[in-house]
């Protein structure tokens, strides 16, 4: 990753973190409040020790010295109670952030798998099961060490200032030097952490591919090559982890400068400090401030930020890049840049220069194909098996993305439309109709939940599905998919699409399991329905009923009416003869 990309990623992580903190301001305020109480021992420890020594033990007043130490013990107990409260407040900040990230990853994975031309992302499982939990843990740790350093080290420095400003300066100078060294090394450590995370993702992808295709690997004798490829990914990850381990020397240097050097400076300067009037108790109190306040706080900060903090920045950056999201739950990766107006006219279909092949080296199923439909048109698509009829329906509906060309529905590019926008534009009924276990009403209202009973009953009557509904027990009747015939499932799916508000309906051999009379009733009902209709035909009657017919025959598509194509297309004449002979052949058998 370039330096610019790293800075951009860090900025994105910063914005996401700040947004998460702002969204839970009350919990953050409680965390800060309890952290301030928890820092009470760090604030009072040196001062109370100084008083116990100077005014108690060195003055021969044992009870006074023990009293000051008892006050310190009480402060420690108060801090311990506050520590328990801080963890409750921490959970109120961290857990909702984790839930938001998990939802973001799931939305992105589902969107990538269901968008036109999309496919499941094997790295999404690693993001959800590993990276999100890693962000959760490191975010919690980062909050703990950061607020601990701010409050504990801050309280210790305030105590040192109260004892003697010169002592505070002697401690503060090496502390700042150690922090500068650590902060200067952070970009390099972040780069190595990014390398480690990328290596882990590449290993996950390689292992997933190898496991998924292990039968093909063995059949092709490619086991050695695949093992070597996965082994290389393992070696890359191991090398990245070793480099991260070596960079712990930088953290040790920072701790030496900021944590241990102040102690050495105080011990060396003790005679001079006493000569200028600092009491023995004050010197001892300053050592207590450094050893129990500044040093542990710096150690926790360097170890936490240098370890978990870097993992947090890099891992969250990977999640944000892989799962871009918009506020308010806009579908990930494809903002709806072209909303469909509520009062728009039924859209035309405009497909231009479509080329699609199943595989890089495969013969194109469709090549340079196109079709344009005015709003309200009725088109039948015919052709021999394998000519690309169902492929064309999938391209028009956005289920497949062409390698070349474009599809627009009512001027909206299908490639840029998110799933819910496509659902408002078109309804596709495939050959294998999908129905689910539940009431008949739920099945029929799936695409139009607000349809009242009268509207649903009218749709059932229009498509001749009233007897089926009555047999199932009406709209409240239970649908058991396994108990229905293929034709009954197709009929339910057809009524569902008929009720849909989408102005375009594509029937991809959606009535092939119905008898000719039932098929005719369904197609005639859709033809009367406002909007545009495309029928992938399997009977000549479907082509005769259509206003126009598109013939796919492996060459350039031909469009015309039934009569025109009988005169112009040999393929269409052959299909008509085949379909005309099918009933007679069935009768003879």
């Amino acid at each position: 990753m370039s330096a610019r990309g790293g800075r951009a990623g860090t900025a994105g992580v910063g914005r996401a973190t700040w947004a998460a903190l702002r969204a839970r301001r009350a919990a953050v305020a409680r965390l800060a409040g309890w952290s301030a109480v928890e820092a009470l021992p760090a604030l009072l420890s040196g001062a109370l020790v100084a008083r116990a020594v100077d005014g108690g033990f060195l003055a021969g007043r044992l009870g006074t010295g023990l009293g000051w130490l008892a006050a310190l013990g009480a402060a420690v107990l108060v801090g311990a109670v506050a520590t328990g409260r801080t963890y409750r407040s921490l959970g109120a900040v961290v857990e909702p952030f984790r839930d938001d990230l998990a939802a973001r990853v799931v939305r992105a994975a589902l969107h990538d798998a269901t968008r036109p031309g999309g496919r499941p992302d094997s790295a999404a499982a690693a993001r959800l099961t590993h990276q999100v939990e890693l962000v959760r843990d490191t975010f919690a740790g980062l909050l703990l060490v950061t607020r601990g350093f701010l409050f504990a080290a801050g309280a210790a420095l305030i105590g040192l200032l109260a004892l003697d400003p010169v002592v505070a300066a002697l401690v503060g100078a090496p502390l700042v030097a150690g922090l500068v060294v650590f902060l200067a090394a952070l970009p390099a450590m972040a780069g190595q952490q990014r390398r480690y995370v990328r290596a882990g993702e590449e290993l996950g992808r390689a292992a997933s591919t190898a496991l998924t295709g292990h039968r093909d690997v063995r059949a092709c004798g490619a086991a050695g090559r695949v093992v070597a490829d996965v082994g290389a990914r393992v070696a890359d990850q191991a090398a990245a982890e070793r480099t991260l381990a070596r960079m712990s020397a930088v953290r040790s240097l920072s701790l030496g400068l900021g944590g241990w050097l102040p102690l050495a400076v105080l011990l060396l300067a003790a005679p001079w400090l006493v000569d200028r009037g600092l009491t023995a108790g004050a010197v001892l109190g300053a050592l207590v401030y450094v050893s129990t306040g500044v040093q542990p706080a710096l150690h926790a900060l360097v170890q936490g930020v240098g370890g978990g903090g870097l993992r947090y920045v890099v891992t969250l950056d990977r999640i944000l890049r892989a799962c871009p999201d918009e506020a308010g739950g806009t579908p990930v990766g494809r903002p709806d840049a072209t909303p469909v107006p509520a009062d728009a006219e039924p859209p035309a279909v405009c497909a231009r220069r479509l080329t699609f092949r199943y595989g890089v080296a495969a013969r194109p199923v469709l090549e340079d194909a196109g079709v344009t439909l005015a709003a309200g048109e009725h088109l039948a698509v015919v052709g021999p098996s394998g000519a690309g009829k169902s492929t064309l329906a999938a391209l028009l509906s956005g289920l497949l993305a062409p390698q070349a060309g474009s599809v627009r529905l009512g001027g909206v590019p299908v490639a840029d439309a998110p799933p819910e926008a496509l659902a408002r534009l078109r309804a596709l009924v495939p050959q294998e109709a999908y129905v689910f276990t539940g009431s008949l009403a739920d099945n029929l209202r799936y695409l139009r939940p607000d349809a009242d009973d009268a509207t649903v009953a009218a749709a059932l009557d229009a498509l001749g599905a009233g007897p089926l509904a009555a047999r199932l027990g009406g709209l409240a009747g239970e649908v058991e998919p396994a108990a229905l015939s293929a034709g009954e499932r197709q009929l339910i799916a057809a009524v569902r699409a008929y009720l849909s508000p989408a102005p375009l309906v594509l029937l991809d051999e959606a009535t092939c399991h119905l008898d000719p009379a039932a098929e005719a009733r369904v197609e005639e009902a859709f033809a009367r329905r406002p909007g545009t209709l495309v029928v992938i035909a399997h009977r000549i009657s479907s082509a005769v009923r259509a206003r126009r017919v598109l013939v796919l025959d492996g060459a350039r598509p031909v469009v015309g009416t039934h009569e025109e194509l009988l005169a112009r297309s040999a393929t269409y004449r052959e299909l008509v003869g085949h379909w005309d002979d099918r009933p007679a052949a069935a009768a003879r058998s």
Side-chain angles (χ1 to χ4, degrees):
M1 180 181 290
S2 66
R4 180 179 299 177
R7 288 193 296 269
T10 303
V13 169
R15 287 192 296 270
T17 304
W18 180 244
L21 295 175
R22 287 189 62 188
R24 287 109 196 160
R25 287 188 291 268
V28 172
R30 288 194 298 271
L31 178 62
W34 287 114
S35 297
V37 177
E38 184 187 22
L40 188 63
L43 178 65
L44 300 178
S45 59
L48 294 178
V49 167
R51 289 179 179 273
V53 171
D54 292 334
F57 303 126
L58 291 181
R61 294 191 289 270
L62 180 63
T64 301
L66 292 176
W68 287 115
L69 292 183
L72 178 58
V76 170
L77 289 177
V78 172
V81 172
T83 299
R85 299 289 183 175
T86 59
Y87 280 97
R88 291 186 183 180
S89 301
L90 183 70
V93 177
V94 172
E95 294 303 326
F97 184 47
R98 181 259 181 201
D99 294 342
D100 291 345
L101 285 179
R104 183 182 189 129
V105 170
V106 171
R107 283 199 304 269
L110 292 175
H111 182 271
D112 286 342
T114 57
R115 66 179 173 83
R119 62 184 61 188
D121 181 9
S122 59
R127 280 191 287 273
L128 185 61
T129 59
H130 175 64
Q131 292 184 10
V132 168
E133 293 303 320
L134 182 61
V135 168
R136 169 188 175 272
D137 293 341
T138 53
F139 181 49
L142 196 59
L143 280 179
L144 280 177
V145 300
T146 302
R147 62 97 209 178
F149 178 79
L150 291 176
F151 286 94
L157 290 175
I158 291 173
L160 286 170
L161 281 172
L163 284 178
D164 192 311
V166 175
V167 174
L170 290 175
V171 171
L175 174 63
V176 171
L179 286 174
V180 168
V181 170
F182 175 66
L183 294 176
L186 274 180
M189 289 190 284
Q192 292 301 324
Q193 186 68 40
R194 289 189 183 94
R195 177 190 169 198
Y196 172 72
V197 173
R198 286 198 298 269
E201 287 188 351
E202 291 299 326
L203 174 60
R205 288 193 180 96
S208 175
T209 301
L211 291 173
T212 302
H214 70 281
R215 293 182 179 178
D216 294 335
V217 169
R218 290 181 62 86
C220 297
R225 177 179 176 183
V226 172
V227 168
D229 181 64
V230 175
R233 301 293 188 276
V234 173
D236 288 343
Q237 188 183 36
E241 192 160 6
R242 284 194 295 268
T243 302
L244 277 178
R246 287 194 293 270
M247 297 201 77
S248 62
V250 177
R251 297 199 292 270
S252 299
L253 176 61
S254 301
L255 288 173
L257 286 174
W260 291 103
L261 186 57
L263 284 175
V265 169
L266 281 178
L267 290 174
L268 291 174
W272 174 73
L273 291 171
V274 171
D275 288 343
R276 62 181 297 273
L278 197 67
T279 65
V283 173
L284 184 57
L287 291 173
V288 169
Y289 274 130
V290 174
S291 60
T292 64
V294 173
Q295 190 184 71
L298 179 64
H299 183 274
L301 179 72
V302 170
Q303 296 296 342
V305 175
L310 288 178
R311 289 193 294 274
Y312 171 77
V313 171
V314 175
T315 308
L316 180 56
D317 178 43
R318 297 292 289 176
I319 292 176
L320 296 179
R321 289 176 181 272
C323 310
D325 203 0
E326 299 290 336
T330 301
V332 178
R334 285 193 182 270
D336 189 0
T338 51
V340 180
D343 58 349
E345 292 294 325
V349 176
C350 182
R352 294 182 177 178
R353 308 185 69 84
L354 293 180
T355 297
F356 184 85
R357 54 171 57 87
Y358 293 96
V360 177
R363 178 183 65 83
V365 179
L366 294 172
E367 187 170 15
D368 201 30
V371 62
T372 300
L373 297 178
E377 275 207 78
H378 179 182
L379 176 76
V381 181
V382 301
S385 178
K389 303 184 297 297
S390 292
T391 299
L392 177 62
L395 290 170
L396 295 181
S397 62
L399 295 185
L400 292 176
Q403 281 85 36
S406 64
V407 177
R408 289 176 175 267
L409 302 181
V412 177
V414 167
D416 294 334
E420 73 276 9
L422 286 177
R424 295 196 301 269
L425 293 169
R426 53 84 180 119
L428 171 68
V429 185
Q431 180 176 350
E432 295 302 324
Y434 172 73
V435 297
F436 53 85
T437 301
S439 70
L440 178 62
D442 288 341
N443 271 275
L444 298 180
R445 291 189 175 112
Y446 183 75
L447 298 177
R448 188 179 171 185
D450 60 343
D452 56 29
D453 288 352
T455 302
V456 176
L460 289 167
D461 182 65
L463 276 73
L468 172 61
R471 185 175 68 80
L472 293 174
L475 294 180
E478 286 296 309
V479 172
E480 294 289 343
L484 299 176
S485 68
E488 288 171 335
R489 291 194 296 271
Q490 283 189 333
L491 199 54
I492 291 174
V495 176
R496 177 194 299 155
Y498 185 89
L499 286 167
S500 165
L504 169 66
V505 173
L506 300 108
L507 302 179
D508 183 10
E509 297 195 19
T511 57
C512 62
H513 296 297
L514 300 178
D515 60 65
E519 178 184 66
R521 183 164 184 173
V522 169
E523 289 185 7
E524 288 169 358
F526 275 103
R528 293 190 301 268
R529 176 184 181 271
T532 306
L533 177 63
V534 176
V535 178
I536 307 301
H538 70 286
R539 291 189 180 105
I540 189 59
S541 54
S542 297
V544 172
R545 282 189 291 268
R547 186 179 306 171
R548 286 199 298 164
V549 181
L550 171 65
V551 181
L552 299 177
D553 61 354
R556 193 168 187 84
V558 181
V559 180
T561 65
H562 172 69
E563 291 75 13
E564 290 171 345
L565 292 174
L566 284 174
R568 293 169 49 198
S569 172
T571 299
Y572 188 69
R573 287 193 296 272
E574 291 177 6
L575 289 171
V576 169
H578 173 70
W579 280 332
D580 281 347
D581 289 340
R582 181 182 299 178
R588 287 193 298 271
S589 64

